[in-house]
Amino acid sequence: MEGGGRPSASQAVLLAASTAITALLYSVYRQKARVARGLEGARRVRLDGDLRAVLLEAPGRCVPYAVIEGVVRSVKETLSSQFVESCKGVVQRLTLQEHKMVWNRTTHLWNDYEKIIHQRTNTTPFELVPAEGGAGVTVRVMKPLEAAELSLETVYEKFHPSVQSFTDVIGHYISGERPKGIQETEQMLTVGTALTGVGELVLDNATIKLQPPKQGMPYYLSTLDFEALLQKQESSVRFWKILTVVSGFATCAVLFFLLRRQYRHHRERQHLRQMQEEFRQAQERLNAEGGEILKNACVVCLSSTKSCVFLECGHVCSCHECYQALPVPKKCPICRQGITRVVPLYNS
């Protein structure tokens, strides 16, 4: 706390950072809660013969946010895995990821570092069909790569370790980077996978389409069933809520600490002002009493009280001891008139 009672720069920065973190966490929590509420309120429709009739009755032949479950089937040709025989899919993602160790000059430790050096995603048109089959109703899935959650199965994964000579090892220690190898991964959305789609369901001419919603809600293509997907989102909401509450308590604690310091400083200043006022009053009282004492003091010694009346001049200006010490002929110290008689002064 600075001299003026205001928080120091570090305390102000701490309070501002804590408040900003709490606000950010609360914003994320609100977003997650909105998504969970939207997902909970999504309309569940069945992939059966009544689906077309449901869309015909809906405004604009569209259900803005719907949940539908089905099995993946390719519309035209399928994608074949490059590494696994007879593995067919509609979405294929090939990834090359570099793994290496990097020397941290601050902690003096080797840390793992991963970097995607190449990634390619192939898609082919696909649709959802009933799991039991036979209904003859299909839903075309549009823009699958825009899904917030696109469940892909890892069908192939292999790590290729780097081969290093002794000279390479020395060079890596000098440069602070030690390559470990390249990891090759293939992920696919295979034909026949049970998929839960959440998005906008629309009847376009004779085709039923599932596409990203226009209301800002997330688009899901998940292998989880709807209950598990909803529970996952609610768990995420609880996690961010706990983080927000903890951060809020930390912010309140910092604010309480600063207010308590400021209150104590205010009390100290108030006590100091009170002491200064009491000292001023005591000084004024002392000056007043001292003036009265000086007014009644002997003009000769300035310490004893006046106790003699000089006649014939009538001045009261001396104590009895100083009167006796006056040289002969005795004269009044005030008017220098001769003293013929002294009358004692009695204060009642």
Side-chain angles (χ1 to χ4, degrees), residues 1-280:
M1 192 72 68
E2 294 180 349
R6 293 170 297 183
S8 64
S10 59
Q11 292 171 344
V13 169
L14 177 62
L15 180 60
S18 179
T19 304
I21 292 174
T22 302
L24 179 61
L25 293 176
Y26 179 71
S27 176
V28 175
Y29 160 70
R30 286 283 303 273
Q31 174 66 20
K32 296 290 183 181
R34 187 180 69 87
V35 169
R37 287 195 302 268
L39 190 60
E40 187 176 7
R43 182 176 178 179
R44 301 191 64 177
V45 296
R46 293 179 58 85
L47 188 53
D48 54 20
D50 297 331
L51 178 58
R52 191 177 299 275
V54 170
L55 292 175
L56 286 172
E57 295 175 358
R61 296 185 177 185
C62 171
V63 177
Y65 207 48
V67 180
I68 192 165
E69 298 177 351
V71 175
V72 174
R73 185 179 73 180
S74 177
V75 174
K76 298 178 182 178
E77 71 280 355
T78 58
L79 301 173
S80 299
S81 170
Q82 294 187 4
F83 306 98
V84 181
E85 293 184 2
S86 66
C87 181
K88 305 292 184 179
V90 293
V91 180
Q92 179 188 49
R93 179 170 293 163
L94 301 170
T95 305
L96 291 178
Q97 189 174 40
E98 180 187 15
H99 291 258
K100 61 183 178 180
M101 303 287 288
V102 177
W103 177 255
N104 191 318
R105 302 183 186 277
T106 303
T107 61
H108 299 286
L109 296 173
W110 289 96
N111 299 326
D112 289 323
Y113 177 79
E114 300 176 357
K115 178 183 178 181
I116 295 178
I117 57 178
H118 179 73
Q119 187 174 77
R120 186 176 80 248
T121 303
N122 303 319
T123 63
T124 188
F126 69 97
E127 57 192 10
L128 298 180
V129 299
E132 61 275 5
V137 179
T138 63
V139 174
R140 178 74 64 88
V141 178
M142 311 300 294
K143 302 179 181 179
L145 298 184
E146 294 185 12
E149 181 172 333
L150 177 60
S151 298
L152 299 179
E153 177 187 359
T154 301
V155 298
Y156 176 82
E157 187 174 22
K158 186 176 181 179
F159 183 76
H160 304 275
S162 61
V163 179
Q164 305 175 16
S165 64
F166 180 73
T167 306
D168 294 334
V169 172
I170 295 177
H172 296 154
Y173 271 98
I174 294 175
S175 64
E177 293 187 0
R178 293 164 48 189
K180 296 173 62 177
I182 302 295
Q183 183 173 352
E184 190 175 13
T185 307
E186 183 182 23
Q187 297 173 299
M188 296 189 72
L189 179 59
T190 57
V191 174
T193 301
L195 206 63
T196 300
V198 184
E200 184 182 66
L201 202 61
V202 59
L203 178 61
D204 185 8
N205 295 326
T207 306
I208 302 175
K209 297 180 179 180
L210 179 68
Q211 58 191 17
K214 299 181 177 64
Q215 304 154 329
M217 296 298 292
Y219 182 34
Y220 294 101
L221 295 173
S222 175
T223 54
L224 299 174
D225 58 30
F226 178 69
E227 287 74 16
L229 184 61
L230 181 60
Q231 185 177 3
K232 180 180 178 181
Q233 297 302 317
E234 291 176 345
S235 299
S236 177
V237 171
R238 286 193 295 270
F239 171 75
W240 286 102
K241 183 178 181 179
I242 291 173
L243 283 184
T244 303
V245 170
V246 171
S247 179
F249 273 120
T251 303
C252 291
V254 173
L255 181 60
F256 174 77
F257 171 77
L258 295 180
L259 291 178
R260 182 171 176 268
R261 290 284 300 272
Q262 192 168 6
Y263 173 74
R264 290 179 58 184
H265 181 79
H266 173 71
R267 289 291 302 272
E268 290 175 358
R269 292 193 62 183
Q270 191 176 22
H271 181 64
L272 179 60
R273 286 196 298 268
Q274 183 179 358
M275 291 179 61
Q276 290 175 343
E277 181 64 21
E278 292 178 354
F279 178 78
R280 185 184 63 80

